[in-house]
Amino acid sequence: MAGETPRAQPPPLDPVPAPEGHPHHVLWRWRRNPLRRRTDRLHAWIALGLLLAVLAAAPAAMFAVGDAAHRHYRATAEQQARTRDHRPAVLVHDAPRHPEPGSAEAKRTRYPVEVRFTGPDGAARTGETDVEPGLPADSTVLVWVDAAGEITEPPLTGDQIRSRATGWAILAFLGVALTGLAAHGVTGMVLHRVNLARWDAAWAVTEPRWSRSS
């Protein structure tokens, strides 16, 4: 109807956007503003608390997990060194030849070949290990054998121990950081729902007055 007063609409859900280009826009939730909500300030304090918690907990978790991983892998390496032997083994048949003998790739390539060796119990055993290309049958190579008489990997080296411990330390750091981000996102969603509920309640009181005045 012409001349009819339009129905009032609730204000935007976020009436106090961070000012673009302001040098201190990150701190806008703490600045005095008549439209600033209690939830805005609460969200800001929660974000600050989470940031400080992550900055304190992440290095501590990184050190604790890295140290625990280093001790674990060092103990594993020591146990492997005690229970694994470096033994000679003889090739049962010729190793495959590389298509490009003498090339850099051929020097890095290893082929699995069946070998014959003596186990810790003195019995003859066979197994499979990786050898250089082109080795003829009856060639002797060294293999690592575990207490059960099976061909296995060599004990962990110092570089491998440090690499694995560093990997776990980095994962711990990322885990704390991601947990902080997740907590910030969850609190933001909860406070957003609180704001929506308050807008609904306020509009339920205000809307009848606008309707009567129209």
Side-chain angles (χ1 to χ4, degrees), residues 43-79:
H43 195 196
W45 282 111
I46 290 175
L48 177 60
L50 288 173
L51 175 61
L52 295 177
V54 167
L55 292 177
M62 188 175 182
F63 174 81
V65 172
D67 182 65
H70 188 273
R71 287 188 280 106
H72 166 74
Y73 287 117
R74 185 175 59 189
T76 299
E78 292 172 354
Q79 190 271 340

Side-chain angles (χ1 to χ4, degrees), residues 33-47:
N33 191 301
L35 296 180
R36 184 186 63 184
R37 300 161 296 190
R38 287 194 299 271
T39 52
D40 294 331
R41 186 168 56 182
L42 177 60
H43 195 196
W45 282 111
I46 290 175

Side-chain angles (χ1 to χ4, degrees), residues 9 172 200:
Q9 299 295 324
D200 288 340

